[in-house]
Amino acid sequence: MNTLEEVNDFVHNGHQEYLPHISIDPVIFGYHQQQLKILLLKWKGLEGWGLPGGFIKRREPLSQAANRILQEKTSLSNLYLQQFHVFGDSPYRIRERSAREYKEKFNLDVDDDNWLLQRTLSIGYFALVDYSKVTVQTDFFTEDYQWWDVKEVPPLLFDQNEVVEKALLTLRRQIYHQPIGYNLLPEKFTLPEIHTLYETILGKELDQRNFAKKLIALGLIQKLNETRAIGAHRSPFLYQFEKENYEQALQVGIVHTY
Amino acid sequence: MNTLEEVNDFVHNGHQEYLPHISIDPVIFGYHQQQLKILLLKWKGLEGWGLPGGFIKRREPLSQAANRILQEKTSLSNLYLQQFHVFGDSPYRIRERSAREYKEKFNLDVDDDNWLLQRTLSIGYFALVDYSKVTVQTDFFTEDYQWWDVKEVPPLLFDQNEVVEKALLTLRRQIYHQPIGYNLLPEKFTLPEIHTLYETILGKELDQRNFAKKLIALGLIQKLNETRAIGAHRSPFLYQFEKENYEQALQVGIVHTY
């Protein structure tokens, strides 16, 4: 969608191509060098920042829709997007008001019963990437993008601050039963590197010694007979993921003992 | 909804009261005496069993809709229903076909573009109750109910076997980061009782000694200075939940060490 004519068609006839009442809102977390950020877009005509969301085509599988929307809005593709929650408790009034503002800003002639002005539930997805490795490109509806530190998320459109908070909570809980890091760390990494990754995502300190022992006991990482010189007297040992155990833990979850 | 007239009105005008394209499907797990079951309904006019699902009113908060639907279909109320997944990858063809069958069975004059025949995403919720303590009553659309052992779930309507499997997987994962048992065990219970509860839900054996040690170490249960005579030479100690820690763990999750 690149011209005003196409936007007009979307506003007036989009409900024939897309399911009304349901949107998809991806929360893309980016980790790099001790920072955890989220990707936000500046939507044209709207005040403030928002998630790269969109609608599901009438015959499109849900997970495929999530990936298509993200790609259209940001050019990011092949991410492992994970569904985490449907938001539908209170947002509809806010959505309606903002949609009306949108209509005024774009100066489109839209009826009150237009499909974009109706109550819309939002299905939240999230992904975790190394943001230094991705290139973002916005589409017609959005004029800018920015990676925001999760500790400094600005006021977002609709109920999207709640969506972001819930995504972060889910990611933090999940770290206890799913491995992470494979695409976020170098192939061979030091214990401080993986320790910092976990601390940054969890937003709290972890005992370094117990942390490493646990990951090794779980069979997720293994110590190599190699070191990396990072200073005159500092050559920490390197570690790597145990690919097979890592993949298995992704499938069935990390088994904590009870 | 109790008469054919009301059903007719629902079929033809329901989309004015309810959001189209989205249903809610609650999976109610029931635990009692070493058995884990799920509640299934026999829907009138449809072959096979199904979940007690329904639609969201146009101005109704999502979580409120889930509780209302469950109460209408089964008379169960005040359950802690937990949303766990939206199903929308492939079910729409199956739903359409079954909806047509439904229409033939009820002999209602329905157009192909009727709202009930269109693609419908399903939002899954689950709850865990003591099934010996609840009374189920069906509504006009359903003619029977039954608690089925989770190991013997029959072929269900639409894609609902997938919904049940995912609910069970979610419940089993969640047991590692949320406490359970408060409404499923007597106020004072033996270690074998809580051990069996966990084994039944997880569907696998757990080391009894480590299991108890872990629950005590987490501060979730405490040993009482009381025993219960269950045989000539068997008087195991009783335990109870540490209410405050239990409630806190429900809020923030069980904190496993890393």
Side-chain angles (χ1 to χ4, degrees):
Chain A
M1 226 173 314
N2 288 305
T3 66
L4 192 59
E5 200 173 45
E6 285 174 318
V7 171
N8 226 320
D9 186 52
F10 171 73
V11 170
H12 289 104
N13 306 311
H15 61 288
Q16 289 164 19
E17 187 175 359
Y18 300 96
L19 291 176
H21 304 300
I22 316 163
S23 70
I24 288 181
D25 289 302
V27 180
I28 309 304
F29 291 107
Y31 175 80
H32 190 65
Q33 291 182 339
Q34 312 185 25
Q35 293 187 85
L36 185 64
K37 303 193 171 187
I38 65 162
L39 178 61
L40 297 176
L41 303 181
K42 186 87 179 61
W43 290 74
K44 279 180 200 160
L46 289 173
E47 303 296 331
W49 295 79
L51 296 169
F55 293 95
I56 305 157
K57 291 184 180 173
R58 286 192 168 254
R59 296 250 153 207
E60 184 178 36
L62 186 56
S63 52
Q64 192 176 312
N67 280 286
R68 174 188 52 76
I69 289 165
L70 184 65
Q71 177 151 29
E72 284 175 4
K73 293 279 175 292
T74 67
S75 84
L76 296 179
S77 58
N78 295 320
L79 301 191
Y80 176 65
L81 277 173
Q82 182 182 330
Q83 194 200 98
F84 69 98
H85 197 74
V86 186
F87 297 84
D89 267 356
S90 61
Y92 47 98
R93 281 188 205 88
I94 305 164
R95 281 180 185 275
E96 281 176 0
R97 199 195 60 208
S98 297
R100 278 172 222 279
E101 283 168 11
Y102 199 36
K103 156 183 137 184
E104 283 161 19
K105 293 276 168 60
F106 271 117
N107 199 23
L108 289 169
D109 185 26
V110 175
D111 292 333
D112 272 357
D113 64 351
N114 183 279
W115 72 291
L116 290 173
L117 299 189
Q118 294 183 30
R119 180 182 177 191
T120 302
L121 305 186
S122 163
I123 305 179
Y125 279 78
F126 75 87
L128 179 58
V129 299
D130 180 339
Y131 67 79
S132 73
K133 288 185 185 156
V134 298
T135 307
V136 175
Q137 280 176 335
T138 54
D139 79 348
F140 178 84
F141 281 106
T142 50
E143 59 189 24
D144 196 8
Y145 78 92
Q146 192 172 315
W147 290 97
W148 292 73
D149 194 289
V150 292
K151 293 194 285 288
E152 290 160 9
V153 175
L156 302 181
L157 301 174
F158 314 124
D159 58 339
Q160 294 185 352
N161 283 88
E162 186 192 344
V163 177
V164 169
E165 276 167 37
K166 180 98 179 173
L168 186 56
L169 184 70
T170 307
L171 172 64
R172 285 176 171 167
R173 285 198 166 176
Q174 185 161 309
I175 212 173
Y176 290 105
H177 58 85
Q178 285 218 329
I180 59 157
Y182 194 76
N183 297 312
L184 304 174
L185 294 172
E187 196 194 331
K188 299 172 180 182
F189 50 83
T190 65
L191 283 187
E193 281 173 338
I194 191 168
H195 184 243
T196 299
L197 167 66
Y198 272 70
E199 284 194 334
T200 304
I201 290 176
L202 288 173
K204 66 175 187 184
E205 292 188 8
L206 295 169
D207 182 278
Q208 186 157 343
R209 196 182 151 86
N210 285 339
F211 170 77
K213 272 169 67 178
K214 179 84 177 235
L215 285 188
I216 293 166
L218 289 169
L220 291 176
I221 63 172
Q222 67 180 148
K223 194 175 181 176
L224 299 173
N225 199 13
E226 287 177 54
T227 58
R228 188 200 295 157
I230 57 171
H233 301 287
R234 295 177 62 207
S235 298
F237 274 99
L238 293 172
Y239 290 74
Q240 70 183 17
F241 287 109
E242 296 230 42
K243 193 70 195 297
E244 206 171 303
N245 292 345
Y246 189 97
E247 290 296 332
Q248 204 196 342
L250 271 186
Q251 295 299 318
V252 303
I254 292 172
V255 180
H256 294 277
T257 52
Y258 237 126
Chain B
M1 226 174 313
N2 287 306
T3 65
L4 192 59
E5 200 173 45
E6 284 174 321
V7 171
N8 226 320
D9 186 53
F10 172 73
V11 170
H12 289 103
N13 306 313
H15 60 289
Q16 289 165 17
E17 187 174 1
Y18 300 95
L19 291 176
H21 305 299
I22 316 164
S23 70
I24 287 182
D25 289 300
V27 180
I28 309 304
F29 291 107
Y31 175 81
H32 189 65
Q33 291 183 338
Q34 313 185 23
Q35 293 187 83
L36 184 64
K37 303 193 171 189
I38 65 161
L39 178 61
L40 296 177
L41 302 182
K42 186 88 181 61
W43 289 74
K44 279 180 201 160
L46 288 173
E47 304 294 332
W49 295 79
L51 297 168
F55 294 94
I56 305 156
K57 291 184 181 173
R58 285 192 168 256
R59 294 258 156 202
E60 184 179 36
L62 186 55
S63 53
Q64 191 175 314
N67 280 287
R68 174 188 52 77
I69 290 165
L70 184 66
Q71 177 152 27
E72 285 175 2
K73 293 280 176 291
T74 68
S75 83
L76 296 179
S77 59
N78 295 320
L79 301 191
Y80 176 63
L81 278 172
Q82 182 182 329
Q83 192 200 99
F84 69 98
H85 197 74
V86 185
F87 297 83
D89 267 355
S90 61
Y92 48 97
R93 282 187 205 90
I94 304 165
R95 280 179 186 276
E96 279 176 3
R97 201 194 57 208
S98 297
R100 277 172 223 279
E101 285 168 9
Y102 200 35
K103 156 184 137 186
E104 283 161 21
K105 293 273 169 61
F106 271 117
N107 200 23
L108 289 169
D109 184 27
V110 176
D111 292 333
D112 272 358
D113 64 350
N114 182 279
W115 73 291
L116 290 173
L117 300 188
Q118 294 184 31
R119 179 181 178 192
T120 303
L121 305 185
S122 164
I123 306 178
Y125 279 79
F126 75 87
L128 179 58
V129 299
D130 180 339
Y131 65 81
S132 73
K133 287 185 187 157
V134 298
T135 307
V136 174
Q137 281 175 336
T138 55
D139 80 347
F140 178 83
F141 281 107
T142 50
E143 58 190 24
D144 197 8
Y145 78 91
Q146 193 173 313
W147 290 97
W148 292 73
D149 194 289
V150 291
K151 292 193 285 289
E152 290 159 9
V153 175
L156 303 180
L157 300 174
F158 314 124
D159 58 339
Q160 295 184 350
N161 283 88
E162 186 192 343
V163 176
V164 169
E165 277 167 36
K166 181 96 178 174
L168 186 56
L169 184 70
T170 307
L171 172 64
R172 285 175 171 167
R173 285 200 165 173
Q174 184 160 308
I175 211 173
Y176 289 104
H177 58 84
Q178 284 217 328
I180 58 157
Y182 194 75
N183 296 313
L184 304 174
L185 293 171
E187 195 193 333
K188 299 172 180 182
F189 49 83
T190 65
L191 283 187
E193 281 173 339
I194 192 169
H195 184 243
T196 299
L197 167 68
Y198 272 70
E199 284 195 333
T200 304
I201 289 174
L202 288 172
K204 67 176 187 184
E205 293 188 7
L206 296 168
D207 182 279
Q208 186 157 344
R209 197 183 150 85
N210 284 338
F211 170 77
K213 272 169 65 180
K214 180 83 177 237
L215 286 188
I216 292 166
L218 288 169
L220 291 177
I221 63 172
Q222 68 180 147
K223 193 175 180 176
L224 300 173
N225 199 13
E226 287 178 54
T227 57
R228 188 200 297 158
I230 58 171
H233 301 286
R234 296 177 61 205
S235 297
F237 274 100
L238 292 172
Y239 290 74
Q240 70 181 18
F241 287 108
E242 296 231 43
K243 193 71 197 296
E244 207 170 303
N245 293 344
Y246 189 98
E247 291 296 333
Q248 203 195 345
L250 271 184
Q251 297 299 318
V252 303
I254 292 172
V255 180
H256 293 277
T257 52
Y258 238 124

